[in-house]
């Protein structure tokens, strides 16, 4: 697209569309900066400038770095939930548990940069009380709740052993999910993700199956 054509296309955007575009460009820029410098080394000034706008735009739009990072968290969460919901759909019980694990395996490849940046953001938020830390804790509650519900659905349907403690299993399930992502972020080359997830799936079926 020529510069003239690009300018004409930009002119045709509504104010809301231009705002959404600039926000997305700033979010994408922030992801790159966080991956390179961490959250402490990422400034709103750099985000605005490197996204192609003024140094003050991010601050003007979001009011503070904390607010910006909170919105970045929401953007990532929305992407993940959309992906998860597409993969799990109307499935329940054991099938839902397996589908959610497969969704994560796919997401690691599809959204590598976002995953890296979000884990950096999350871990750096743990050293202090903050709104982001509170939101992260709430999301962990949701993830454990989903896993627990899927197990209970499987027990009700007669496909999962009724001796399984759904609440405790949910903790272990999420420990695998978050733990494997952490290991992958630290040393991706050391892990064979396909083999790891295949074995996790096989072990999950063995552990939960009513036939056992």
């Amino acid at each position: 697209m020529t510069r003239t054509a690009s300018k004409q296309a930009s002119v045709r955007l509504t104010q809301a569309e231009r705002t959404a575009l600039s926000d997305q460009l700033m979010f994408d820029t922030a992801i790159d900066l966080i991956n390179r410098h961490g959250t402490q080394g990422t400034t709103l000034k750099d985000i605005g400038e490197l996204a192609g706008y003024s140094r003050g735009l991010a601050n003007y739009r979001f009011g503070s770095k904390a607010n910006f990072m909170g919105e970045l968290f929401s953007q990532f969460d929305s992407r993940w939930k959309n992906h998860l919901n597409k993969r799990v759909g109307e499935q329940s019980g054991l099938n839902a548990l397996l589908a959610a694990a497969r969704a994560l395996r796919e997401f690691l490849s599809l959204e590598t940069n976002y995953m890296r940046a979000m884990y950096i953001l999350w871990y750096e938020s743990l050293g202090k009380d903050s709104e982001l830390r509170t939101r992260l804790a709430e999301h962990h509650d949701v993830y454990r709740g989903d896993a627990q519900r899927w197990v209970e659905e499987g027990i009700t349907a007669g496909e999962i052993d009724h001796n399984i403690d759904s609440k405790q299993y949910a903790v272990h399930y999420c420990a695998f999910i978050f733990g494997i992502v952490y290991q992958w972020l630290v040393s991706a080359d050391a892990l064979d993700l396909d083999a790891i997830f295949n074995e996790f799936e096989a072990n999950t079926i063995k552990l939960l199956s009513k036939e056992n």
Side-chain angles (χ1 to χ4, degrees):
M1 180 182 291
T2 66
R3 180 175 297 182
T4 299
S6 177
K7 184 176 181 180
Q8 290 174 343
S10 178
V11 170
R12 288 195 294 269
L13 295 177
T14 66
Q15 179 60 42
E17 290 170 334
R18 288 195 294 272
T19 297
L21 176 61
S22 61
D23 283 354
Q24 190 57 58
L25 289 173
M26 288 193 289
F27 291 142
D28 291 342
T29 299
I31 291 299
D32 181 57
L33 288 172
I34 291 171
N35 278 322
R36 286 191 285 145
H37 307 299
T39 58
Q40 298 301 316
T42 298
T43 67
L44 293 184
K45 178 181 75 70
D46 289 341
I47 290 170
E49 288 183 335
L50 293 176
Y53 300 98
S54 71
R55 64 174 60 187
L57 179 61
N59 187 67
Y60 171 78
R61 191 71 53 77
F62 297 95
S64 69
K65 184 176 178 179
N67 288 343
F68 181 91
M69 293 301 175
E71 184 57 33
L72 188 63
F73 177 97
S74 296
Q75 290 286 319
F76 170 81
D77 191 54
S78 179
R79 289 191 189 203
W80 164 242
K81 286 180 178 177
N82 286 338
H83 180 77
L84 178 64
N85 290 337
K86 287 179 181 177
R87 295 299 179 267
V88 175
E90 298 300 319
Q91 298 181 84
S92 62
L94 183 58
N95 286 335
L97 286 164
L98 298 177
R102 293 168 191 154
L104 174 64
R105 173 65 187 94
E106 294 172 351
F107 204 70
L108 290 175
S109 298
L110 294 173
E111 298 286 2
T112 300
N113 289 335
Y114 250 91
M115 287 291 282
R116 289 186 182 280
M118 285 302 98
Y119 266 70
I120 292 171
L121 176 61
W122 294 342
Y123 279 110
E124 290 186 358
S125 75
L126 298 181
K128 58 183 178 180
D129 291 330
S130 66
E131 180 181 351
L132 183 59
R133 180 176 176 177
T134 299
R135 291 179 62 189
L136 183 57
E138 292 171 348
H139 279 68
H140 276 251
D141 287 340
V142 171
Y143 300 146
R144 287 192 297 270
D146 284 343
Q148 181 177 346
R149 173 171 51 81
W150 291 330
V151 171
E152 291 171 353
E153 289 171 346
I155 292 173
T156 300
E159 65 178 2
I160 291 179
D161 187 342
H162 70 275
N163 292 310
I164 298 294
D165 185 322
S166 62
K167 185 175 182 179
Q168 292 303 319
Y169 178 79
V171 174
H172 292 293
Y173 182 83
C174 289
F176 168 79
I177 295 298
F178 290 106
I180 202 64
V181 175
Y182 177 71
Q183 292 185 65
W184 170 76
L185 292 173
V186 172
S187 183
D189 292 340
L191 303 179
D192 183 342
L193 287 181
D194 288 333
I196 290 169
F197 276 88
N198 287 341
E199 183 175 10
F200 175 75
E201 182 172 329
N203 288 338
T204 298
I205 293 172
K206 289 179 182 178
L207 175 65
L208 299 184
S209 176
K210 188 175 181 180
E211 294 179 0
N212 291 333

